[in-house]
Amino acid sequence: MTGTAKFDDWIRPHMCALMRIARAFAEPADQHDLMQELMISAWRAMPAFRGDAAASTFIYRVAHNRALTWKKRHSLSLFRARAAQIDMAALNDGGTDGESGQLEALYAALRQISPIDRSLMLLWLEATPYADMAALHGLTQTNIGARLTRARARLSALIHEVSDEY
């Protein structure tokens, strides 16, 4: 039996569960993409399956973890795209008053966090890899991740405070 046939036999009984995961984590337009990623993750994880747990448990864990990381990455991409869209609208003076207010709220909040966190947030918005941020600031990648998590939470709170002023 080929590897593909073996995978097909192994995954087939769990396709409905994978589809439910894709539907729960992705908008309809993105469900097919997420489903492909779930299948690829299961394919890559299959050699690690030792049979200690039921195949359904193993596949569900692999798929769920992949869906969580996909959702986080997808949400971050949407946030970055929206921030870039607001920036471009402001540069072109074609933004709506609401967009200008959102942009000013973002920059006002950025000015209230520490300079290093401000720099990290700007690099993050530019999709700079953690390794590059770490090299630039002399920090570890783990520290970069922790600082960004705290900075995003702080910015979110500040934006709500600042946006009330605009």
Side-chain angles (χ1 to χ4, degrees):
M1 185 181 296
T2 67
T4 304
K6 184 177 177 182
F7 176 75
D8 188 49
D9 290 343
W10 186 66
I11 199 76
R12 185 178 304 276
H14 312 290
M15 291 301 290
C16 288
L18 293 177
M19 291 181 80
R20 283 190 295 273
I21 291 170
R23 290 182 74 189
F25 280 89
E27 295 296 325
D30 297 322
Q31 289 171 7
H32 182 72
D33 292 339
L34 177 55
M35 185 65 178
Q36 286 181 345
E37 292 201 28
L38 297 178
M39 296 289 292
I40 290 168
S41 294
W43 171 266
R44 288 181 178 155
M46 189 177 139
F49 180 64
R50 297 183 312 258
D52 296 343
S56 58
T57 303
F58 181 82
I59 291 169
Y60 188 81
R61 180 182 311 146
V62 168
H64 185 74
N65 287 339
R66 182 67 192 115
L68 287 171
T69 57
W70 181 89
K71 181 68 176 172
K72 181 178 178 183
R73 185 185 55 184
H74 189 71
S75 296
L76 296 177
S77 296
L78 290 175
F79 177 80
R80 286 180 178 132
R82 182 66 183 139
Q85 181 183 28
I86 292 170
D87 266 344
M88 287 307 296
L91 284 175
N92 295 330
D93 271 337
T96 65
D97 289 339
E99 287 175 336
S100 297
Q102 289 175 342
L103 184 61
E104 190 49 44
L106 173 63
Y107 282 112
L110 278 169
R111 288 188 293 268
Q112 293 183 44
I113 63 176
S114 73
I116 191 163
D117 288 345
R118 187 177 322 142
S119 173
L120 292 174
M121 285 302 303
L122 291 172
L123 290 167
W124 177 78
L125 286 169
E126 296 294 327
T128 304
Y130 280 21
D132 294 349
M133 289 186 220
L136 181 67
H137 287 290
L139 301 169
T140 65
Q141 290 184 51
T142 303
N143 189 261
I144 296 291
R147 289 186 81 108
L148 282 170
T149 298
R150 287 191 301 266
R152 283 190 298 264
R154 176 84 173 116
L155 271 179
S156 180
L158 288 169
I159 287 171
H160 290 297
E161 290 173 18
V162 172
S163 64
D164 292 338
E165 298 172 15
Y166 291 96

